[in-house]
Amino acid sequence: MSAAKQQDWNALSDEDFRSVVREFFTTHYPEELRYSPSRRRLSEMRGWYDTLSQHGWVAPAWPAEYGGMGLEPGKLVIFIEEQEAHGVARVPDHGIVMVGPLLIQQGSDDQRKRYLPKILSGEEIWCQGYSEPNAGSDLASLRTEAVLDGDEFVVNGQKTWSTLAQDGTHMFMLVRTDKQARKQEGISFLLVDMKTPGITVRPMRTLSGHEEFCEVFFDNVRVPKENIVGEINKGWGVAKALLSFERLFLGSPKLAQSALARLSTLAVLAGRDRDLVFRDRFAALQLDVDDLNGLYRRFTAQVRSGEKLGPDVSILKIWGTETFARIGDLIVETAGGAGMVDGPSAFGNETFDVLSNFYNARPSTIYGGTNEIQRNIIAGNVLNLPSA
Amino acid sequence: MTENDISERLQQQQLITDSVTAFARRELSPAALRSGAVSRERWQGLAELGLMGMMIPEDTGGLGLRIGDLVPALEALGRPLLREPLVASAVFAGTLLSKTASTEKGAELLARLAEGALLPAVAWQEEYRLEASHAGTMLAASGEGRILTGRKILVVPGTDIDGLLVLAGTGGGKALVWLEPQAKGLRIESGTAADGGAIATVHFDKVPVDTADILSVDAGDLFDEALQTTTIAACAEMLGLICGAIDMTMDYLRTRKQFNRTIGSFQGLQHRAADLFIQQELSAAAIARAVADFEATTDAKGRAIAASRAKARVSSAALIVTKEAIQMHGGIGYTDEHEIGLYLKRALTLSAWLGNAGEHRARFAQLTMGVAA
Ligand SMILES: Cc1cc2nc3c(=O)[nH]c(=O)nc-3n(C[C@H](O)[C@H](O)[C@H](O)COP(=O)(O)OP(=O)(O)OC[C@H]3O[C@@H](n4cnc5c(N)ncnc54)[C@H](O)[C@@H]3O)c2cc1C
């Protein structure tokens, strides 16, 4: 599928693999994009996406037969660790992390042929259209509808909070295809080209001042019938399979790990690294991150061995994002007076952006299913506690 | 104090609080925080309410009230996120000027401040840590006169000011110096605080200082007292912000519907809402205790303990509350468009200013438990 040579990464020893990965990032990753304080836009990441693509490194977790690196869980964790240690920013990765694995699992052959190569090449960038103004936590109450008219669906409605939709060439979305059926049963999963007439994208600014998500309006948007993934009215099940990928992804130690690295840098800059109070709190967070890693390995191993993820994967998202948030808090506290400064502060000859991790931690406990919803899932579906 | 004094004081306090509350309702809204700019007109309005003169001693034409009298007014102004630097300029600079009003310059500046015609900033901090020495900026003799050399950081407000009160070392002690923004050798490098307000790093490159502008050459104690007063005042403003954020969030919990229910009916959120209310009440209790201790003591250590007691609690509470407020709003809470985020930004700013919770806990420990081995 990809021009890059296929290689069996899993055959390497862990140490060898680690040094290959480290070498790769050191050689190829643009210095000025390291330790990005906020989500980077496509325009900034394009060059890096191309580099990854040329080397066949876009999709570390996809099976090799589809053009991924086919990493087994241990290797994947090493990959992530090295990526974080080097401060590599995310490319717009909805296609890589969500659409790809979904199509591999549940798409048709035609869909895989049509979409996967363009994700690997970076020609097509995906965004996610689930949430609506009145369907957030209660996603199944979504109302954007798709009505079949000949060979096409006609889509009308509004999506919101779509991350970086302004850069997206395609959206994977949930639409209502049967208004009569019970909530979850009338929903379908649709792939939409963002250039289709009738789509309007309005970027919105976040708390930290970046245009990170969008409202997307659909006005009689015509989408070919074959763009449905799975069967009509069975989209909820399709999305659910994706949700556990998402939870796995959102619970990855990435965020927490890179924030912890930033914290230890700051501690030195602020002259607090020898302080006993600081060390106690740092150690606690380090252990939180280490055990998060342990949990993460357990769940990725499950995925690799072909086992379905259960509702217990929610613990990963909760612990990962809340550990990230606690690290963000300690960064702010360790910075002292610099905690009131917007943007980078000078520490001697260096600068440090104190609030970026703190700000990024805010939505992490909201997106991908709020942490309250994740706790409801654990209480109800793992611990089998009765509902109110 | 006699019973009469106390009831008179309470009456005055009540009068001011009432008019301030009315002013806050009429003139202020959180959205104003977005513009970043200080409104001179509103500054004037605050002066007309008597706020600038509240803490000025009676013998210099003020009301002679104390920090405790100011708490309810600051709380009322903190609720709708007052943009104007009442605490930084009126309380901080005002207290310093009150204590140096025996000088001609001090008296003149104080009079202008009371009228709302002066917007000063205090430049004292040199490092991010509260407990650093902040003593690198020096006032030194040079030929006939004196010059100021050094650098101050985190100066609030950091732009559009009429002058700076600078704390400087003299070799033996500390001096308090007045500088106007156009002074030769003075460079104000303005940046932005988390809440969008201006904050500055100020560089002094052999700035000539007029003898008349030296308000004190023995400013160590009076400065410390002003700093502790200001710290408590900042807590009062944060308490207002905490109440405001909780109100807005409870309104949201009462109206937002998911799963065909008002989200406020979910017990998971109810318990956390109750926890936020506890934070609010703890903050009020900490401030009340700090005010009482502050007013009852005459020594610097007691005042510092009082200030740290309040700032440790309230800085922490303000962040807990505003972070939770965002979480309970869901996605909309993370947009720049929604006002709840402004509370978080203001909380970040005020909680870090003059020492964050961790720094004040450390100072509290040091002052009350002795020096760690
Ligand atoms: C930065 C960011 C990026 C996002 N990107 C995307 C994207 O690309 N595509 C997309 O489709 N969506 C995206 N989202 C949307 C996200 O999935 C929703 O915000 C989330 O599902 C919550 O929905 P809501 O915002 O409507 O909050 P609400 O559902 O209204 O929740 C408000 C509060 O109520 C709580 N609550 C709700 N129900 C319960 C309950 N039963 N029990 C206890 N508490 C409850 C919530 O936890 C929350 O605290 C993004 C959100 C953010 C912040």
Side-chain angles (χ1 to χ4, degrees):
Chain A
M1 302 195 82
S2 139
K5 64 177 163 37
Q6 295 283 336
Q7 183 167 352
D8 185 6
W9 299 108
N10 297 328
L12 295 179
S13 73
D14 282 359
E15 295 84 81
D16 287 349
F17 180 66
R18 190 181 289 281
S19 55
V20 171
V21 174
R22 185 173 299 174
E23 171 75 21
F24 182 82
F25 290 140
T26 326
T27 317
H28 297 290
Y29 190 70
E31 194 62 29
E32 69 278 9
L33 293 177
R34 291 181 70 186
Y35 300 109
S36 224
S38 66
R39 204 57 205 269
R40 293 275 182 181
R41 295 286 300 277
L42 177 62
S43 53
E44 304 165 284
M45 297 308 291
R46 178 53 86 185
W48 177 236
Y49 206 132
D50 290 345
T51 306
L52 288 171
S53 183
Q54 281 149 18
H55 291 83
W57 283 46
V58 167
W62 296 10
E65 54 179 310
Y66 294 108
M69 292 172 80
L71 301 184
E72 48 98 2
K75 295 284 192 300
L76 191 59
V77 170
I78 292 173
F79 187 90
I80 292 169
E81 281 172 357
E82 288 305 315
Q83 192 173 338
E84 290 321 306
H86 194 71
V88 177
R90 277 171 77 181
V91 295
D93 52 13
H94 273 113
I96 303 165
V97 185
M98 301 178 77
V99 181
L102 176 82
L103 292 182
I104 289 169
Q105 208 181 58
Q106 304 191 54
S108 66
D109 276 341
D110 283 346
Q111 286 169 341
R112 284 194 279 263
K113 276 204 205 83
R114 160 68 188 80
Y115 294 111
L116 297 186
K118 301 219 158 157
I119 294 173
L120 291 170
S121 69
E123 280 164 87
E124 291 179 355
I125 301 293
W126 288 81
C127 61
Q128 179 183 26
Y130 286 10
S131 306
E132 299 178 5
N134 289 310
S137 296
D138 184 14
L139 186 57
S141 68
L142 62 92
R143 284 204 289 254
T144 297
E145 62 170 344
V147 178
L148 203 52
D149 178 26
D151 282 343
E152 291 173 327
F153 286 107
V154 180
V155 181
N156 278 290
Q158 183 196 345
K159 294 293 173 182
T160 192
W161 320 129
S162 284
T163 299
L164 297 178
Q166 69 270 48
D167 290 339
T169 60
H170 289 73
M171 173 183 271
F172 58 104
M173 65 186 299
L174 289 175
V175 288
R176 185 156 300 285
T177 37
D178 182 351
K179 284 203 272 195
Q180 262 62 56
R182 255 195 59 226
K183 267 171 122 180
Q184 281 88 343
E185 282 157 20
I187 293 175
S188 299
F189 195 105
L190 211 53
L191 308 175
V192 177
D193 186 332
M194 294 293 278
K195 285 192 300 294
T196 321
I199 300 181
T200 312
V201 177
R202 186 180 81 92
M204 278 185 288
R205 217 170 276 287
T206 66
L207 253 189
S208 53
H210 301 98
E211 286 187 342
E212 227 172 82
F213 47 32
C214 302
E215 288 181 304
V216 184
F217 301 89
F218 296 82
D219 181 17
N220 288 319
V221 176
R222 303 190 76 91
V223 180
K225 206 169 105 182
E226 64 268 21
N227 283 19
I228 204 159
V229 179
E231 287 171 52
I232 191 162
N233 295 334
K234 295 277 192 283
W236 189 252
V238 177
K240 259 181 102 167
L242 201 49
L243 274 183
S244 50
F245 283 125
E246 186 176 18
R247 264 150 217 177
L248 183 65
F249 175 72
L250 294 174
S252 106
K254 285 171 73 149
L255 286 173
Q257 203 137 291
S258 74
L260 196 69
R262 296 301 287 150
L263 174 58
S264 76
T265 303
L266 175 66
V268 175
L269 291 178
R272 296 266 285 150
D273 52 320
R274 303 263 126 211
D275 181 281
L276 290 181
V277 177
F278 175 81
R279 288 162 79 101
D280 174 66
R281 297 179 65 192
F282 186 89
L285 291 169
Q286 172 79 63
L287 297 175
D288 287 347
V289 174
D290 288 350
D291 293 341
L292 170 65
N293 258 310
L295 283 178
Y296 184 69
R297 279 171 197 250
R298 194 183 100 197
F299 285 107
T300 47
Q302 211 176 320
V303 174
R304 281 276 141 210
S305 67
E307 229 181 295
K308 266 176 63 183
L309 287 173
D312 57 338
V313 71
S314 287
I315 62 180
L316 208 55
K317 202 251 166 179
I318 295 172
W319 193 250
T321 54
E322 292 178 10
T323 299
F324 176 46
R326 287 193 299 278
I327 299 170
D329 289 345
L330 189 55
I331 288 177
V332 172
E333 191 173 318
T334 303
M340 70 186 289
V341 179
D342 188 51
S345 287
F347 284 83
N349 295 325
E350 316 253 347
T351 61
F352 192 97
D353 188 331
V354 174
L355 294 177
S356 59
N357 279 289
F358 179 92
Y359 279 136
N360 289 341
R362 304 281 67 79
S364 74
T365 51
I366 296 171
Y367 55 54
T370 68
N371 286 20
E372 288 73 35
I373 295 303
Q374 310 289 350
R375 285 185 162 86
N376 286 347
I377 292 171
I378 293 172
N381 301 353
V382 180
L383 303 174
N384 294 316
L385 296 174
S387 55
Chain B
M1 267 201 266
T2 67
E3 297 254 322
N4 246 345
D5 286 342
I6 293 177
S7 80
E8 198 182 315
R9 192 179 155 186
L10 280 175
Q11 268 178 11
Q12 271 178 330
Q13 188 184 323
Q14 193 56 50
L15 272 174
I16 293 187
T17 307
D18 288 348
S19 58
V20 166
T21 307
F23 174 88
R25 282 226 186 84
R26 202 173 59 237
E27 305 272 330
L28 302 179
S29 81
L33 203 71
R34 282 211 180 86
S35 89
V38 168
S39 147
R40 288 286 180 149
E41 200 178 319
R42 218 174 298 126
W43 189 245
Q44 183 74 49
L46 291 164
E48 278 157 20
L49 292 170
L51 282 170
M52 312 286 170
M54 261 175 107
M55 292 182 63
I56 298 174
E58 278 168 295
D59 54 15
T60 26
L63 292 177
L65 297 181
R66 288 183 289 179
I67 176 62
D69 305 311
L70 211 53
V71 166
L74 287 169
E75 194 189 317
L77 294 166
R79 224 173 233 273
L81 303 181
L82 175 71
R83 156 56 76 206
E84 281 61 44
L86 192 68
V87 176
S89 295
V91 178
F92 204 175
T95 310
L96 290 170
L97 291 172
S98 295
K99 292 181 184 301
T100 53
S102 56
T103 63
E104 203 177 312
K105 191 68 177 187
E108 175 213 321
L109 293 171
L110 193 58
R112 279 169 60 195
L113 179 69
E115 286 166 16
L118 186 77
L119 195 72
V122 182
W124 66 280
Q125 202 168 347
E126 298 183 6
E127 289 175 48
Y128 296 126
R129 299 212 69 70
L130 176 69
E131 290 299 85
S133 77
H134 310 294
T137 298
M138 299 301 287
L139 182 67
S142 157
E144 295 291 279
R146 294 209 240 179
I147 53 166
L148 192 66
T149 306
R151 187 191 67 132
K152 297 284 181 183
I153 63 170
L154 306 178
V155 177
V156 197
T159 186
D160 194 29
I161 46 175
D162 299 316
L164 289 164
L165 286 167
V166 186
L167 187 69
T170 56
K174 284 178 179 167
L176 189 68
V177 171
W178 172 252
L179 282 185
E180 310 220 326
Q182 58 277 13
K184 200 174 123 245
L186 175 66
R187 186 163 60 88
I188 300 178
E189 185 193 333
S190 192
T192 312
D195 66 3
I199 184 171
T201 298
V202 182
H203 305 267
F204 311 96
D205 181 15
K206 305 199 187 95
V207 182
V209 178
D210 252 9
T211 313
D213 289 337
I214 299 173
L215 303 180
S216 166
V217 287
D218 182 23
D221 290 346
L222 71 89
F223 179 80
D224 283 347
E225 190 178 341
L227 178 63
Q228 314 312 356
T229 306
T230 309
T231 302
I232 296 174
C235 292
E237 191 175 347
M238 266 195 286
L239 175 58
L241 168 170
I242 288 171
C243 297
I246 291 180
D247 281 356
M248 187 174 278
T249 305
M250 294 312 118
D251 277 349
Y252 196 72
L253 295 190
R254 285 186 205 103
T255 48
R256 169 71 171 169
K257 284 209 166 87
Q258 287 288 278
F259 304 100
N260 297 319
R261 284 167 63 181
T262 325
I263 58 174
S265 70
F266 296 123
Q267 204 164 52
L269 295 188
Q270 289 181 345
H271 285 181
R272 293 195 357 231
D275 288 339
L276 298 190
F277 180 67
I278 293 174
Q279 290 295 323
Q280 171 188 311
E281 297 305 302
L282 288 172
S283 298
I287 293 171
R289 166 86 190 265
V291 164
D293 289 358
F294 185 91
E295 291 185 356
T297 187
T298 50
D299 83 305
K301 181 176 164 185
R303 283 195 287 258
I305 293 172
S308 282
R309 166 188 297 290
K311 194 68 166 49
R313 166 67 64 199
V314 184
S315 288
S316 151
L319 288 175
I320 292 173
V321 166
T322 51
K323 284 187 295 180
E324 277 282 68
I326 303 280
Q327 180 68 23
M328 290 182 181
H329 276 80
I332 201 149
Y334 189 56
T335 59
D336 189 39
E337 285 162 35
H338 199 283
E339 289 178 0
I340 197 66
L342 299 172
Y343 285 86
L344 178 78
K345 292 180 172 190
R346 189 80 178 125
L348 278 167
T349 308
L350 287 175
S351 65
W353 186 50
L354 308 180
N356 64 28
E359 293 174 273
H360 279 283
R361 280 195 300 267
R363 187 170 84 175
F364 185 84
Q366 197 179 32
L367 294 175
T368 60
M369 303 171 190
V371 182

